[in-house]
């Protein structure tokens, strides 16, 4: 007997498809954010003190860290591997802290916190729904 492959799109549920789309959209966002930080580091950014050698120390630390974390998170999210969301969470938490808690040293951008928190809530909701679906499928049918 030949089994049908489980990775085909028509076999997936709406929640699985939505989860893949969420991860891919966040991956694209992370790639754009990472490129944005690289642009700042390289000095192509039009702004006051936005060349790496002219940045204050806190911006140097933050921009280099996020320039590395966001593209790595993007890769992990796009490939849908388990470490992708973990790296995204670290980068998102760092950026959220930068622009909310430590706004005196950076800027005050509450929209960043709203975006990252919204993505985290959506991610958790999808994981719960997928867990419940998997548990439902694992129950013996009577």
């Amino acid at each position: 007997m030949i089994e049908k492959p489980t990775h085909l799109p028509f076999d997936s549920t709406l929640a699985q498809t939505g989860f893949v789309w969420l991860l891919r959209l966040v991956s694209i966002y992370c790639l754009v954010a990472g490129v944005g930080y690289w642009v700042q580091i390289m000095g192509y950014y039009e702004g006051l003190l936005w060349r790496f050698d002219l940045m204050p120390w806190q911006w140097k630390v933050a921009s280099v860290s996020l320039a590395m974390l966001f593209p790595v998170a993007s890769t992990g999210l796009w490939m849908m591997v388990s470490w992708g969301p973990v790296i995204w969470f670290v980068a998102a938490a760092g950026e959220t802290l930068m622009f909310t808690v430590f706004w005196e040293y950076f800027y005050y951008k509450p929209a960043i916190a709203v975006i990252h928190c919204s993505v985290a809530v959506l991610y958790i909701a999808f994981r719960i729904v997928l867990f419940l679906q998997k548990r439902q499928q694992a129950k013996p049918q009577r």
Side-chain angles (χ1 to χ4, degrees):
M1 178 169 195
I2 298 174
E3 290 184 35
K4 288 194 319 187
T6 59
H7 64 279
L8 295 176
F10 55 82
D11 285 336
S12 64
T13 65
L14 184 61
Q16 291 169 333
T17 304
F19 186 62
V20 169
W21 274 98
L22 174 70
L23 292 181
R24 296 281 164 94
L25 289 173
V26 175
S27 173
I28 292 168
Y29 171 82
C30 287
L31 185 61
V32 170
V35 168
Y37 282 108
W38 276 107
V39 166
Q40 283 181 324
I41 289 171
M42 291 186 300
Y44 289 113
Y45 182 76
E46 296 287 329
L48 184 63
L49 299 177
W50 287 118
R51 212 173 68 206
F52 187 76
D53 59 335
L54 300 175
M55 287 181 186
W57 69 269
Q58 65 271 16
W59 269 105
K60 287 180 181 181
V61 171
S63 62
V64 168
S65 300
L66 294 174
M68 293 305 296
L69 287 172
F70 273 128
V72 171
S74 176
T75 303
L77 290 168
W78 190 269
M79 295 187 319
M80 293 183 290
V81 292
S82 60
W83 51 266
V86 174
I87 302 296
W88 170 82
F89 178 77
V90 171
E95 193 174 43
T96 299
L97 288 172
M98 273 175 59
F99 294 124
T100 56
V101 176
F102 301 112
W103 67 271
E104 300 95 9
Y105 302 108
F106 300 99
Y107 297 118
Y108 183 64
K109 291 185 182 178
I112 295 290
V114 169
I115 290 169
H116 289 314
C117 288
S118 299
V119 169
V121 166
L122 276 171
Y123 179 83
I124 291 168
F126 270 115
R127 293 301 295 191
I128 290 170
V129 169
L130 291 171
F131 171 76
L132 293 174
Q133 282 182 352
K134 191 173 182 179
R135 195 171 80 176
Q136 184 69 27
Q137 289 174 352
K139 282 186 178 178
Q141 301 294 330
R142 293 182 185 203

